[in-house]
Amino acid sequence: MKLDARHAELEKPLRRNRDYQVWWLGAAASNIGSYLLTAAVPLFVLKTSGSAGQAGLVAGAAAVAKFASSTPAGVFVDLYPRRVLLFLASALQLLAVVSLLAAMLLGHAHLGHLITAAVLEGLGYSLYTATELPLLRRIVPEGQRRAALAREQSRKAAAQLAAPPLGGLLFSWSLAAPFFTAAIFFLGVTGTALALRVPLGPDRREMACTSPIRTHGLSGLRYVLGSQYLRYMLVWFALVNGAFAGLGLLLVVLCHNRGAAPGEIGMAQAAGSAGAVLGALVCEQLTARITTTRLLKISSWLLVAGATAMAVPAPATVTGLAYAVALSLTPAVNVSFMHHLVHTTPDALTGRISTAMMTAARSLNWFFIMGVGAMADWHGPLLPLFALSGLFLVLACANHVCGPRPGHG
């Protein structure tokens, strides 16, 4: 009877699937809390120390923690009880925020403490992110996963658009307000772990860890390297995400060099985020009507068009709209790719495979940001912008010449 009830629950529309709604709210809470801290921590460092270098160290520590912990997090969610790991992710993020609040009250927020808190939050973020695809497989029936993945992209894009301005607004009201608010959101992750009724896995036979952790970590990478489609997408995501990181920096530099005020630069960044939000809202329909291969090709040519259009002298908002064009189809590409992963990869490897891809996707961000910044200092922003446009052009052409087809290879 319990199995029949669970089957009936899964066959409900997503809006009536209780476990899906709980999971979605918990994921939204984690996203908003993390993005609030992304905005508030650098502001707090600048406010208390006046050092942009220290703000960069703290932000860099969080980025390194997320990158370095992605693969181990994928191993953990495939081998250990995921409900316990949800508690652990929430505890790490809460510990980071509560320690910052305590330091503010005591007036002893030293750089080392800020870096440690940033690292703890980054570890919690990676652990929670690693659970998302494995849990989605457990909570959402096969026929509804495309819609669930599309809504996940919409949620992330909306949180990324709304949370930084909210963090700035709260910070202007009180130094502690954004951190207190983030703590409330992280408590929502704890509520998710308590409220989900579906077994989260992994199954007992999958939890038997008889070989070293490093061997389990490599198993996800071996699976990726054994598929021609996944190998191609691994390289594509690494290059495109790295180039996007550089392009985001160039957006600020271009607008600044053209005389835009800080508020106008913020509007340009918001325009870019809005492009991702709009793309996320329509990605369910796009991925249902356009094949994965064709979607990848169209997205790549929009990258070329958007990056090239940013070179045209124009007001900051127009430059931001060009950046939005480049971003617009990336949510649909992400959904199409994750839909392929959910349908083709073994459940016992889902966490490791997805985090192996995420690790690769973040692997070149630092290189592109540093390289673009150095080139812009030496030769102005147009040279690195055209270099990125050229890279996007090469990738667009590669999709037509040697681009993969899911299920082949």
Side-chain angles (χ1 to χ4, degrees):
M1 291 296 292
K2 288 184 178 180
L3 289 176
D4 290 341
R6 178 63 196 152
H7 180 75
E9 175 76 13
L10 284 174
E11 291 305 317
K12 292 179 180 178
L14 289 178
R15 67 179 182 277
R16 296 175 57 201
N17 182 331
R18 176 193 175 277
D19 280 331
Y20 170 76
Q21 296 295 335
V22 169
W23 172 80
W24 192 95
L25 289 171
S30 179
N31 290 152
I32 295 172
S34 292
Y35 288 135
L36 274 175
L37 291 187
T38 299
V41 170
L43 288 173
F44 177 73
V45 177
L46 288 171
K47 178 75 173 180
T48 55
S49 71
S51 171
Q54 289 190 17
L57 279 174
V58 176
V64 170
K66 290 174 182 178
F67 169 72
S69 61
S70 289
T71 297
V75 175
F76 293 152
V77 300
D78 282 340
L79 297 179
Y80 301 107
R82 291 166 187 155
R83 198 180 303 273
V84 174
L85 294 178
L86 284 177
F87 282 117
L88 179 57
S90 175
L92 287 170
Q93 292 176 311
L94 279 170
L95 178 60
V97 176
V98 171
S99 72
L100 288 173
L101 284 169
M104 289 178 199
L105 291 175
L106 297 174
H108 297 296
H110 299 298
L111 178 61
H113 179 200
L114 293 169
I115 290 175
T116 302
V119 169
L120 285 174
E121 197 284 320
L123 294 176
Y125 176 86
S126 290
L127 191 56
Y128 187 88
T129 302
T131 68
E132 289 188 337
L133 271 187
L135 262 60
L136 184 138
R137 292 183 73 153
R138 298 269 175 159
I139 293 169
V140 178
E142 184 174 328
Q144 298 177 7
R145 287 173 184 165
R146 188 191 304 275
L149 289 167
R151 294 178 189 185
E152 182 184 1
Q153 290 295 305
S154 299
R155 181 195 73 232
K156 288 181 177 179
Q160 193 168 8
L161 177 64
L166 175 61
L169 180 64
L170 290 170
F171 190 85
S172 65
W173 177 50
S174 166
L175 294 185
F179 301 97
F180 183 76
T181 305
I184 294 173
F185 280 112
F186 291 144
L187 278 173
V189 179
T190 304
T192 298
L194 289 170
L196 285 172
R197 295 186 299 203
V198 61
L200 305 184
D203 298 332
R204 287 186 179 274
R205 58 184 174 81
E206 296 165 0
M207 292 167 58
C209 184
T210 57
S211 55
I213 288 293
R214 64 177 181 275
T215 302
H216 287 284
L218 291 174
S219 61
L221 183 60
R222 283 197 295 268
Y223 187 96
V224 170
L225 295 179
S227 163
Q228 190 259 345
Y229 171 67
L230 293 181
R231 287 198 307 271
Y232 185 91
M233 293 306 298
L234 183 146
V235 174
W236 194 88
F237 277 126
L239 291 174
V240 168
N241 280 359
F244 264 140
L247 202 62
L249 176 61
L250 284 179
L251 173 64
V252 176
V253 176
L254 282 166
C255 293
H256 179 268
N257 286 5
R258 292 169 184 169
E264 293 174 315
I265 295 174
M267 289 298 296
Q269 291 174 307
S273 298
V277 171
L278 292 174
L281 291 175
V282 299
C283 65
E284 181 181 348
Q285 291 75 21
L286 288 175
T287 54
R289 290 172 171 77
I290 304 176
T291 64
T292 300
T293 303
R294 188 180 177 198
L295 188 60
L296 187 66
K297 292 176 181 177
I298 297 172
S299 175
S300 294
W301 285 110
L302 283 179
L303 295 176
V304 178
T308 304
M310 288 173 63
V312 178
T317 304
V318 176
T319 306
L321 289 174
Y323 181 65
V325 169
L327 284 172
S328 59
L329 279 189
T330 53
V333 172
N334 290 338
V335 166
S336 181
F337 175 74
M338 289 189 294
H339 190 253
H340 172 80
L341 280 187
V342 168
H343 277 269
T344 61
T345 59
D347 182 67
L349 288 173
T350 303
R352 279 166 279 183
I353 293 168
S354 62
T355 52
M357 296 298 297
M358 283 191 291
T359 301
R362 297 168 179 164
S363 62
L364 296 178
N365 287 19
W366 65 272
F367 173 79
F368 276 90
I369 290 173
M370 293 174 65
V372 161
M375 289 177 69
D377 275 346
W378 294 336
H379 304 289
L382 288 182
L383 179 63
L385 179 61
F386 287 133
L388 294 181
S389 299
L391 173 61
F392 288 141
L393 179 61
V394 169
L395 291 173
C397 293
N399 290 335
H400 293 275
V401 176
C402 57
R405 295 172 59 194
H408 293 264

